[in-house]
Amino acid sequence: MNEYHAGNRVKLLQCGAEYFPALERAMDAAVHEIRLETYIFADDETGRFIVEAMKRAVRRGVDVRVTYDGFGSSAHVGALDKIMRQSGIDVAVFRPDAGWNRFRRSRLRRLHRKLVTVDARTAFVGGINIIDDLNMPPPKQPRFDYAVQVEGPLLAPIHDAMCELWTRLHPSDRAKSDATVSPFSPVSEVVGDHHAWFGFRDNVAHRRDIEREYLIAILAAKEEVLIANAYFFPGRQFRRALLRARRRGVRVRLLLQGRQEYLLQYYATRALYGMLLEAGVELYEYSPSFLHAKVAVIDGTWATVGSSNIDPFSLLLAREANVFVRNAAFASELRISLNRAIDTDSTVIYGQRWSGRPLLDRVLTWALYGVARGMMALLGYGRH
């Protein structure tokens, strides 16, 4: 069983409108250190807004370290990499997408987690990249996503995970003193009443941690499983857990992507609809903008917010990070937010209408589902 830390304060932040101002405030209060990891760092209004906050911190003598993914940011970071380095911000690129790296199987092992720690006193964990919420095709509506701001004992594992990755990308730091890697220890005093666990996956000791925590909660569910996930393409174990919950009489609701962002993922997910609908799972598609959330609420007491999709890339390949919370008030806040999105911004998928959709759509759905399963098999993940 994973150890949940007591005494935390976990604040829910919805979309960039709440996340980026909170991030700026924390950075402007930094005294010693800022660490940031992201999949996408974009040279747009939001990216430059955050860089300006980090530059102000550097001028105050704060040690600022940024790690971004070489594939996720390659088409977005633009001049910001050079600007950050010239401003005194230490920058690391996780698996640069260049040269022979583009042809290696390991190129799929991306840094997909979105983490920030400030002075090891406050942290941000979630699914929101450093990119403008409106940086997408029209109609322009903010991406639907979440993050959390964390204070308390949970800071220690979050900070430790970020330090470990930094020293992995900078082997020379291992030969230096611990003070060079991080000059102080995270605060551990009790600041709230949230029990929380920081779950992350890598390709060594924590390969199944996030998926396992989901499965434990779903298999123990008694009343309701509510999941909002951008790229939903679960393996057999996850699908069976949802179906078993339905057979126990648990209400299972899935809020999924309604706007086509990536052709293969969009249709592969929809190939699962028939099976889910037949089992009594309620399906909703969010369409005002891109659904980018990776969150869940179970039985009104357990919740998670993070970067991990429920698909093979997140659960089996990428570095991901989620915060799992056992607190009725927090779970209720997230559930109310998701219910609002379901009630006002989503389309219900009805079984009878789904089975009667046009032949071309059905053919395309199953063809791309076959391609997706074939790709996973080639990569050695087809049996998951």
Side-chain angles (χ1 to χ4, degrees):
M1 293 290 291
N2 297 312
E3 181 182 355
Y4 279 67
H5 298 261
N8 299 283
R9 181 186 298 122
V10 184
K11 181 180 180 181
L12 184 67
L13 302 170
Q14 183 174 330
C15 302
E18 294 182 0
Y19 174 63
F20 294 120
L23 190 55
E24 182 196 33
R25 287 192 296 271
M27 288 181 172
D28 281 341
V31 176
H32 302 289
E33 173 192 83
I34 296 171
R35 293 174 179 267
L36 184 150
E37 293 179 8
T38 186
Y39 180 63
I40 296 175
F41 207 126
D43 185 0
D44 60 16
E45 184 177 351
T46 295
R48 289 178 176 262
F49 171 77
I50 296 301
V51 167
E52 286 302 315
M54 293 191 293
K55 287 167 64 177
R56 292 195 296 271
V58 169
R59 290 195 291 270
R60 297 194 306 273
V62 177
D63 180 22
V64 181
R65 304 183 183 190
V66 171
T67 305
Y68 66 78
D69 184 75
F71 177 79
S73 295
S74 61
H76 299 279
V77 71
L80 282 189
D81 181 280
K82 184 177 181 180
I83 290 171
M84 286 190 285
R85 294 177 193 270
Q86 291 179 339
S87 302
I89 298 169
D90 290 329
V91 179
V93 181
F94 184 86
R95 296 187 184 276
D97 192 50
W100 287 107
N101 287 338
R102 295 177 177 175
F103 305 100
R104 293 175 178 172
R105 172 176 165 174
S106 61
R107 78 185 293 262
L108 296 174
R109 300 184 185 277
R110 307 315 318 179
L111 175 67
H112 194 245
R113 64 195 194 187
K114 293 87 177 174
L115 301 174
V116 181
T117 58
V118 178
D119 289 344
R121 300 301 191 265
T122 187
F124 297 85
V125 182
I128 303 176
N129 288 293
I130 307 300
I131 187 171
D132 195 318
D133 264 356
L134 296 176
N135 189 343
M136 65 176 70
K140 291 185 178 295
Q141 297 264 352
R143 286 180 184 82
F144 185 63
D145 207 346
Y146 295 92
V148 290
Q149 183 172 359
V150 181
E151 297 171 279
L154 200 63
L155 260 293
I158 298 172
H159 188 255
D160 288 350
M162 298 186 77
C163 289
E164 188 280 330
L165 181 61
W166 184 265
T167 54
R168 178 181 178 276
L169 298 177
H170 295 79
S172 60
D173 280 2
R174 295 188 185 277
K176 301 177 184 178
S177 68
D178 289 342
T180 304
V181 177
S182 183
F184 52 89
S185 298
V187 163
S188 59
E189 70 253 20
V190 172
V191 296
D193 59 355
H194 294 80
H195 285 71
W197 175 66
F198 175 66
F200 67 96
R201 82 155 306 282
D202 57 24
N203 293 293
V204 184
H206 302 279
R207 295 173 61 89
R208 299 288 302 281
D209 287 11
I210 291 177
E211 182 182 23
R212 188 177 297 115
E213 191 64 18
Y214 259 107
L215 292 173
I216 290 171
I218 293 169
L219 292 172
K222 296 179 180 178
E223 297 177 1
E224 181 187 57
V225 173
L226 173 57
I227 296 173
N229 206 263
Y231 309 121
F232 185 80
F233 192 53
R236 293 176 185 173
Q237 276 189 293
F238 205 105
R239 296 198 305 269
R240 288 171 179 168
L242 292 177
L243 298 182
R244 287 174 63 183
R246 277 298 305 136
R247 287 196 292 271
R248 295 195 307 273
V250 175
R251 186 184 188 188
V252 178
R253 295 189 291 159
L254 305 179
L255 177 59
L256 305 175
Q257 189 74 265
R259 289 181 65 179
Q260 181 183 312
E261 185 173 12
Y262 301 110
L263 182 73
L264 182 61
Q265 290 168 314
Y266 178 77
Y267 280 100
T269 294
R270 289 162 72 88
L272 304 177
Y273 281 14
M275 172 193 66
L276 295 168
L277 289 167
E278 186 177 345
V281 174
E282 299 173 39
L283 301 180
Y284 306 88
E285 289 187 337
Y286 183 86
S287 57
S289 67
F290 288 135
L291 171 72
H292 199 254
K294 306 98 167 57
V295 303
V297 180
I298 296 179
D299 285 351
T301 57
W302 178 102
T304 185
V305 176
S307 67
S308 183
N309 290 298
I310 302 173
D311 71 354
F313 290 103
S314 280
L315 296 178
L316 297 169
L317 291 169
R319 286 176 176 262
E320 305 284 3
N322 277 43
V323 166
F324 297 84
V325 183
R326 289 176 179 165
N327 179 275
F330 179 87
S332 175
E333 183 182 6
L334 178 55
R335 184 176 183 273
I336 289 170
S337 178
L338 292 174
N339 279 337
R340 187 182 305 118
I342 288 173
D343 293 340
T344 63
D345 294 317
S346 302
T347 301
V348 183
I349 304 300
Y350 294 101
Q352 188 173 10
R353 292 182 187 175
W354 179 252
S355 61
R357 69 195 190 283
L359 176 62
L360 181 60
D361 185 75
R362 282 181 280 165
V363 170
L364 184 61
T365 297
W366 284 106
L368 291 176
Y369 173 79
V371 171
R373 296 302 299 178
M375 287 175 60
M376 293 302 101
L378 287 173
L379 291 169
Y381 304 106
R383 296 183 61 190
H384 176 73

